[in-house]
């Protein structure tokens, strides 16, 4: 309800999302005009609002009171800083990601460009599969994704949380203009192991969220392999990581 | 300066740090100039973004309390020059020099505007 100066009242955790846990008075929402809560996650609350006249997203990493307070602050702060650092790294390397408008280290809130009208790849795949007609569109998407991830890994940037909801498509969707988001778990590493695991996380997320997309993901990996100069060892590690997965015997 | 938003971002950061007592410089205005700079050298920031004798154009930035009244004519009258619209900013700016100062990479220019690259550097300078 029209909170012009963003001064919304305290929100009770359980009531909003059904998330179990102690009811607490939350950290104050970001002071943005036109503030709207977009998503309540386990780690952070995502808002939309206007930052100095521009459509923006504010990601507030709030204290979880069941965590030890000393750990709390460090974790939230580190994730915020890591996200900012990675977004700058992406920008410099020409990897599409939102522009960082402001980082508030006092409240661990990061203000980013809101890519208006963008849809998550996840939602795009849902709608393509629902409508039944694809005509190879998802393969084109897979190719672009593979290329994008190859460029990211070639910069030794590990996303850490690759899912189809962390890749956006700018409008118009047909142009397959991708944008990576949510770098809170990202880190720098040149190790094929870390890159392999990054892809494995995506594979698990991809195949469990989108049934019957094995060929699509295959195409993504092929595109990745073709686009990345260092892909050989990475794909090899990916194969090894797959064998290591849950409920897989490491005997002999 | 390529766009007023660039100054707004630098000023917003300065006001924020001022409010929590964590500025890197001694005054709010110095902090705005410092924030505009892509590096942490204060005197370099002043050299590049502060005014000097050789400048032919200046952008005046005022930070005021919402409730306080400001007489803009008073301020303008202290400047010996002609006040022009902010729309003319691109004509007053040496884009090549800006790209050089902020070290904007060629890859960056493909994924966004020059302003985008500048804003990212201002906002993540201290990370």
């Amino acid at each position: 309800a029209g909170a012009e100066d963003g001064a919304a009242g305290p929100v009770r955790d359980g009531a909003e999302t059904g998330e179990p846990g102690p009811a607490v008075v939350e950290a104050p929402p970001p002071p943005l005009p036109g503030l709207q809560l977009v998503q309540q996650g386990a780690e952070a609350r995502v808002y939309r609002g206007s930052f100095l006249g521009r459509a923006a997203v504010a990601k507030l990493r709030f204290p979880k009171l069941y965590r030890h307070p000393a750990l709390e602050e460090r974790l939230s702060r580190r994730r915020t800083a890591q996200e900012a650092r990675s977004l700058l790294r992406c920008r410099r390397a020409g990897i599409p990601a939102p522009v960082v408008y402001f980082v508030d280290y006092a409240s661990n809130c990061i203000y980013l460009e809101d890519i208006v009208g963008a849809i998550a790849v996840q939602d795009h795949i849902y709608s393509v599969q629902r409508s039944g007609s694809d005509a190879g569109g998802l393969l084109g998407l897979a190719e672009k994704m593979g290329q994008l991830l190859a460029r990211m890994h070639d910069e030794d940037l590990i996303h850490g949380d690759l899912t189809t909801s962390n890749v956006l498509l700018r409008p118009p969707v047909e142009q397959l203009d991708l944008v990576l988001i949510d770098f809170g778990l990202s880190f720098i590493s040149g190790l094929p192991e870390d890159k392999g695991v990054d892809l494995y996380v995506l594979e698990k997320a991809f195949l469990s969220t989108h049934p019957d997309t094995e060929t699509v993901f295959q195409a993504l990996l092929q595109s990745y392999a073709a686009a990345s100069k260092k892909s050989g060892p990475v794909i090899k590690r990916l194969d090894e990581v797959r064998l290591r997965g849950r409920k897989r015997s490491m005997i002999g | 300066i390529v766009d007023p938003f660039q100054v707004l971002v630098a000023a917003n950061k300065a006001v924020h740090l001022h409010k929590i007592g964590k500025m890197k410089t001694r005054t709010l205005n110095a902090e705005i100039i410092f924030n505009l700079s892509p590096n942490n050298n204060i005197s370099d920031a002043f050299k590049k973004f502060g005014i000097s004798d050789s400048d032919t154009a200046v952008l005046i930035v005022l930070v005021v309390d919402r409730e306080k009244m400001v007489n803009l004519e008073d301020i303008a009258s202290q400047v010996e020059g002609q006040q022009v619209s902010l729309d003319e900013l691109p004509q007053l700016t040496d884009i090549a020099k800006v790209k050089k100062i902020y070290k904007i990479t060629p890859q960056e220019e493909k994924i966004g505007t020059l302003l985008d690259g500048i804003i990212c550097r201002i906002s993540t300078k201290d990370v």
Side-chain angles (χ1 to χ4, degrees), chain A residues 36 38 71 75 88 99 102 175 181 183 196 205 215 217 219 234 241:
Chain A
Q36 279 183 318
V38 167
L71 180 62
L75 209 52
L88 177 64
V99 176
F102 176 49
Q175 283 190 357
I181 61 168
F183 284 82
T215 36
F217 195 77
V234 175
V241 171

Side-chain angles (χ1 to χ4, degrees), chain A residues 213-224:
Chain A
T213 50
E214 286 81 1
T215 36
V216 180
F217 195 77
Q218 238 339 84
L220 191 157
L221 285 182
Q222 275 169 357
S223 170
Y224 176 94

Side-chain angles (χ1 to χ4, degrees), chain B residues 51-117:
Chain B
I51 61 172
S52 58
D53 291 336
S54 57
D55 288 318
T56 52
V58 291
L59 178 64
I60 300 176
V61 179
L62 284 168
V63 179
V64 291
D65 259 306
R66 217 184 308 234
E67 293 96 44
K68 297 230 174 87
M69 298 286 288
V70 168
N71 189 333
L72 291 178
E73 273 106 50
D74 255 355
I75 314 275
S77 64
Q78 292 177 50
V79 182
E80 266 180 34
Q82 188 200 3
Q83 193 174 6
V84 298
S85 159
L86 274 174
D87 296 336
E88 295 195 29
L89 188 55
Q91 292 148 37
L92 302 165
T93 304
D94 182 346
I95 298 289
K97 195 172 174 193
V98 172
K99 285 186 191 173
K100 201 161 164 227
I101 288 174
Y102 284 105
K103 298 197 174 88
I104 305 294
T105 68
Q107 311 91 281
E108 259 184 276
E109 302 200 64
K110 295 195 188 129
I111 56 160
T113 63
L114 173 58
L115 179 62
D116 289 338

Side-chain angles (χ1 to χ4, degrees), chain A residues 157-238:
Chain A
L157 183 59
I158 311 298
H159 185 279
D161 190 16
L162 283 175
T163 66
T164 50
S165 46
N166 284 339
V167 185
L168 303 183
L169 277 157
R170 281 186 197 275
V173 155
E174 306 78 56
Q175 283 190 357
L176 297 180
D177 204 353
L178 302 174
V179 182
L180 286 173
I181 61 168
D182 208 347
F183 284 82
L185 296 175
S186 64
F187 59 98
I188 307 293
S189 170
L191 298 178
E193 165 79 19
D194 292 325
K195 296 175 185 177
V197 169
D198 214 21
L199 292 176
Y200 182 63
V201 167
L202 179 59
E203 184 177 57
K204 301 293 301 179
F206 207 103
L207 299 179
S208 63
T209 316
H210 307 288
D212 303 319
T213 50
E214 286 81 1
T215 36
V216 180
F217 195 77
Q218 238 339 84
L220 191 157
L221 285 182
Q222 275 169 357
S223 170
Y224 176 94
S228 164
K229 310 150 196 170
K230 317 173 194 172
S231 62
V234 175
I235 303 292
K236 189 158 172 287
R237 291 302 261 179
L238 171 60

